[in-house]
Amino acid sequence: MSSAAPPDEGFWLFGYGSLIWNPSVPHVERLPARLPGFSRRFWQGSHDHRGLPHAPGRVVTLIEDADSVCTGMAFRVPAHAAVDVLHALDHREKNGYSRQRHGLVADSGEHLDALVYIAEPGNFAWLGPAPVEEVARQIATSVGPSGSNRDYLQQLAQALRNLGTHDEHVFELEAMLQQFVER
Ligand code: BEZ
């Protein structure tokens, strides 16, 4: 990791969560890409998007894991939009995420230097690991201003299938959601 000062040129942004299926940032190119050394986990609390302050949902962050690779999508944000995009993302991800800079490998083999928003252990909204049933139940029952936590998980799982990637953590949670559907 190195520092992630605002770039004065365009930049690559790595999406590993909602950005994959909802690339809400202006971009001129997108490439499926991998971030080696990290795994995706529903370990970050969401009090402002997929949950509420008294009933947080769970959203993804990246955990350092030398044996893992996280698959996602890289977006090239052009220079003219760079400052506005960073302001918007810094605001949107104020619930514990910080900007980092990491090396990606695109499916084409190209190496990209990218900005990545990561919520690190110990931040104020950190929830951390929990038994999979507990995580699935929390996701099944949480709703926030951006919609249901269930929708976030299902959209992510579908987007990963579309990318042809298998993420055991995400798919296990998706499968488990069913048992918490209210009848
Ligand atoms: C994303 O990949 O969608 C994302 C994840 C965490 C913070 C910001 C964006």
Side-chain angles (χ1 to χ4, degrees):
M1 181 182 89
S2 59
S3 78
D8 49 15
E9 303 169 356
F11 62 92
W12 284 97
L13 173 69
F14 184 59
Y16 59 94
S18 62
L19 280 174
I20 304 179
W21 80 86
N22 181 22
S24 50
V25 297
H27 57 279
V28 290
E29 188 178 358
R30 71 171 85 176
L31 296 174
R34 304 180 295 281
L35 173 56
F38 286 88
S39 53
R40 178 178 14 236
R41 290 289 180 267
F42 273 84
W43 289 0
Q44 177 66 1
S46 178
H47 306 81
D48 55 351
H49 286 294
R50 300 290 174 161
L52 297 169
H54 64 278
R58 279 181 176 259
V59 289
V60 289
T61 185
L62 294 175
I63 304 299
E64 284 192 56
D65 177 355
D67 298 328
S68 258
V69 172
C70 177
T71 301
M73 189 70 82
F75 301 93
R76 187 158 67 84
V77 177
H80 68 82
V83 170
D84 285 350
V85 166
L86 288 176
H87 281 152
L89 285 173
D90 285 354
H91 178 72
R92 192 183 89 173
E93 305 306 340
K94 62 187 181 303
N95 209 50
Y97 290 85
S98 57
R99 258 191 247 159
Q100 298 185 11
R101 193 178 282 276
H102 291 284
L104 310 179
V105 184
D107 282 5
S108 59
E110 197 179 343
H111 285 247
L112 309 173
D113 181 36
L115 293 183
V116 188
Y117 281 79
I118 296 179
E120 295 196 315
N123 74 76
F124 67 93
W126 177 255
L127 294 176
V132 64
E133 292 83 0
E134 194 179 307
V135 174
R137 181 190 296 276
Q138 188 171 359
I139 291 171
T141 55
S142 297
V143 181
S146 300
S148 73
N149 209 171
R150 172 196 304 268
D151 183 61
Y152 174 100
L153 168 56
Q154 289 173 328
Q155 296 258 33
L156 176 59
Q158 186 56 49
L160 294 176
R161 274 190 288 277
N162 294 345
L163 279 175
T165 199
H166 184 84
D167 186 317
E168 186 59 35
H169 175 74
V170 173
F171 292 168
E172 185 182 20
L173 286 170
E174 183 196 32
M176 203 161 275
L177 270 186
Q178 209 47 42
Q179 70 189 71
F180 298 108
V181 171
E182 288 172 15
R183 294 168 209 280

